[in-house]
Amino acid sequence: MFKLRKIHKYAGIFSGVVLILLSISGFFLNHDNWKFLYTTTFSNSYLPEATIEYNQRLYNSYKVDIKDSSVRLYVGFRGVYRSENGGQDYTQVSSIPFYDVVQNKNGDYYGATTEGVYLSVDKGKHWRPWALKERVITSISVNENKVLVAVDKKKLYLLDMNGKCIQQGVVRIKKELLKQDIRLSRLIRDVHYGRGIFDDGLSLLWNDLVAWWLIILAFTGYLLWYLIRNIRYDKTYKKPLSLFLKIHRSSVVLLAIIPLVLLAITGILLDHNNFFAKFLAQTTVSKEILPPIYRSLKEDIWSIDYKDGEYMIGNRYGVYRSSNMKDWSLVSKGFAYRMMRYKGTLVVSGMGSANRYYKDNKWHILKNTPHMFRSVNSINNQDHYFAFSTKEIVLPMVKSTSLYT
């Protein structure tokens, strides 16, 4: 018993630091739309190269102005970077976190931000609030005189050119259209990132509670270690020792075991993805045993499109279409990470699924394109896809890295 206590003590001393770091960083990663995570920055001179390179993943879209190809925009969680000389030099013109930006035929830009829809009528130089202020706009689509947006990946708003809401609604897909088997690799990622068990924000809430309980567990462990060491010299430590011992040994800890084990196992599999990739990709999880969230997916709108009175949304199962925002039908299978209009054609970027496009009432595979591309533009009469793997497009030079990264 004595040896077990010593093992527990020293294991706790060393693992407590890891638990605190993982819990605090995990909590903030669960809330990645908080602005201060991107406006709080650190000089690159003090950071490793790998961290600086990862900061480039915060760019969510790249746009070549349809009226003036010398004007280029990078938009992302660190704001908007604008170039007037074809992408040779960039100036930051906004620090508001952007999920995406679209441009209408008149050349006006509409931005999906963490603070509502923003508008620019001068080629992206200046931005002003336009609609749904203080809402987190995760996707946006523009078609002539209508703008469709998704708020928090769960609610659709159709707006007119004055920013007034014409129609709104929550996407409710019939359960029979959600009965699909998925690959284990998809389930592992969904569970680890807090979107793979319950809907209505319950998975996120559960992750938050576990994170904070682990922080409390680690801190009380350190306090107990300190008090036990010093109680022989000062008997007044007995009362706080009793209190912290009750907290540290509380049965509530047992509630954290299941999600902690799930996070640990899924984290190990993701950290060693090269080793487990084949197994995860070839293993199928039956729809009969999937967690409850897969039977609703009402908070899973990753991409949207609107044209000629037809709504389309993309989620982890595929692309769904509706003419009234109520009755939805599945029109294309495969995770629809991004949807965008390019030269009048609907283009879909897949996540763990094929890139594709919709033309002549048929879906076609988009060959020789990067995985999970975030935008596509015509540069010198050639199609250029912006993705993490894109090398030919020069990124803005920044001298700092965000707290989020």
Side-chain angles (χ1 to χ4, degrees):
M1 180 62 73
F2 178 72
K3 287 184 178 180
L4 283 176
R5 284 184 175 177
K6 290 198 74 172
I7 291 172
H8 180 82
K9 180 179 76 173
Y10 289 114
I13 291 171
F14 291 108
S15 64
V17 175
V18 178
L19 276 180
I20 291 172
L21 288 174
L22 285 174
S23 299
I24 292 176
S25 59
F27 173 76
F28 286 118
L29 289 175
N30 276 343
H31 299 276
D32 58 2
N33 57 9
W34 288 351
K35 185 177 179 179
F36 83 92
L37 293 174
Y38 307 103
T39 55
T40 304
T41 60
F42 301 88
S43 173
N44 287 346
S45 58
Y46 302 107
L47 298 172
E49 192 64 32
T51 304
I52 298 171
E53 288 179 4
Y54 204 85
N55 195 56
Q56 297 177 350
R57 291 175 175 258
L58 298 184
Y59 296 114
N60 288 324
S61 186
Y62 173 69
K63 294 294 181 184
V64 177
D65 192 271
I66 62 172
K67 300 283 188 179
D68 183 356
S69 62
S70 64
V71 174
R72 312 284 174 90
L73 297 180
Y74 270 108
V75 303
F77 292 126
R78 292 192 65 176
V80 180
Y81 292 82
R82 184 177 183 272
S83 172
E84 293 184 344
N85 55 13
Q88 296 180 39
D89 301 293
Y90 285 89
T91 302
Q92 187 173 14
V93 294
S94 175
S95 61
I96 298 167
F98 275 66
Y99 278 91
D100 199 3
V101 66
V102 291
Q103 191 175 19
N104 67 11
K105 63 180 182 179
N106 296 324
D108 298 333
Y109 286 100
Y110 296 85
T113 84
T114 58
E115 299 177 17
V117 182
Y118 270 64
L119 172 67
S120 173
V121 296
D122 57 359
K123 299 181 181 179
K125 185 179 291 186
H126 300 95
W127 296 83
R128 62 177 174 83
W130 182 71
L132 300 174
K133 295 178 183 178
E134 306 305 320
R135 303 287 188 91
V136 178
I137 313 298
T138 49
S139 301
I140 189 167
S141 172
V142 61
N143 177 242
E144 295 184 359
N145 60 347
K146 301 284 193 311
V147 177
L148 180 67
V149 301
V151 175
D152 282 327
K153 289 187 178 180
K154 62 183 178 183
K155 194 168 184 179
L156 296 179
Y157 289 84
L158 185 64
L159 311 172
D160 63 17
M161 287 296 99
N162 295 315
K164 183 180 178 181
C165 181
I166 303 170
Q167 188 176 1
Q168 61 177 287
V170 175
V171 175
R172 300 185 186 279
I173 300 171
K174 293 180 180 179
K175 289 185 178 181
E176 54 265 29
L177 296 177
L178 295 171
K179 291 182 178 180
Q180 297 185 37
D181 300 337
I182 65 172
R183 284 181 292 185
L184 181 58
S185 57
R186 176 78 272 139
L187 180 62
I188 291 295
R189 282 171 170 77
D190 289 344
V191 170
H192 190 77
Y193 295 121
R195 56 175 184 253
I197 301 178
F198 302 109
D199 233 325
D200 295 317
L202 293 179
S203 286
L204 182 64
L205 176 62
W206 184 246
N207 277 8
D208 285 350
L209 291 175
V210 171
W212 282 106
W213 187 252
L214 291 176
I215 292 170
I216 292 170
L217 188 66
F219 271 116
T220 53
Y222 282 122
L223 288 169
L224 287 171
W225 175 54
Y226 173 80
L227 293 171
I228 290 171
R229 285 185 60 192
N230 291 278
I231 197 169
R232 70 188 70 177
Y233 308 113
D234 191 341
K235 301 302 181 184
T236 60
Y237 285 133
K238 279 189 176 182
K239 192 171 182 180
L241 176 66
S242 176
L243 173 63
F244 291 130
L245 192 60
K246 285 181 180 178
I247 297 172
H248 193 73
R249 296 172 60 181
S250 170
S251 57
V252 179
V253 174
L254 296 175
L255 297 177
I257 290 176
I258 295 176
L260 182 60
V261 170
L262 285 174
L263 286 171
I265 293 174
T266 54
I268 290 170
L269 292 172
L270 290 175
D271 277 346
H272 300 279
N273 186 57
N274 291 336
F275 182 79
F276 293 108
K278 187 176 180 180
F279 165 72
L280 295 176
Q282 293 179 348
T283 304
T284 300
V285 183
S286 171
K287 55 183 172 292
E288 305 300 332
I289 60 173
L290 287 174
I293 191 172
Y294 294 91
R295 291 188 283 276
S296 66
L297 294 187
K298 60 183 178 181
E299 294 179 321
D300 199 55
I301 302 174
W302 287 74
S303 54
I304 58 176
D305 180 73
Y306 178 78
K307 185 177 182 181
D308 300 331
E310 281 198 334
Y311 305 90
M312 285 196 185
I313 62 115
N315 61 25
R316 67 187 81 173
Y317 275 164
V319 179
Y320 292 80
R321 179 167 55 197
S322 173
S323 59
N324 57 11
M325 213 183 280
K326 295 179 181 179
D327 303 309
W328 297 89
S329 60
L330 178 64
V331 294
S332 176
K333 287 187 176 182
F335 202 140
Y337 171 61
R338 286 287 179 94
M339 286 196 286
M340 59 206 78
R341 289 281 169 177
Y342 179 60
K343 296 179 178 179
T345 299
L346 178 62
V347 179
V348 177
S349 169
M351 183 193 293
S353 61
N355 298 330
R356 51 213 189 265
Y357 65 96
Y358 187 67
K359 190 174 183 179
D360 300 327
N361 297 319
K362 291 183 180 180
W363 289 93
H364 309 268
I365 299 298
L366 194 57
K367 299 179 180 179
N368 303 319
T369 52
H371 181 59
M372 288 176 63
F373 64 85
R374 300 190 162 200
S375 56
V376 56
N377 297 277
S378 179
I379 303 177
N380 298 326
N381 295 319
Q382 291 187 335
D383 301 335
H384 281 250
Y385 295 86
F386 172 63
F388 295 148
S389 57
T390 303
K391 302 298 182 184
E392 62 270 21
I393 302 176
V394 180
L395 295 169
M397 296 294 293
V398 293
K399 297 180 180 180
S400 62
T401 295
S402 69
L403 174 61
Y404 174 85
T405 302

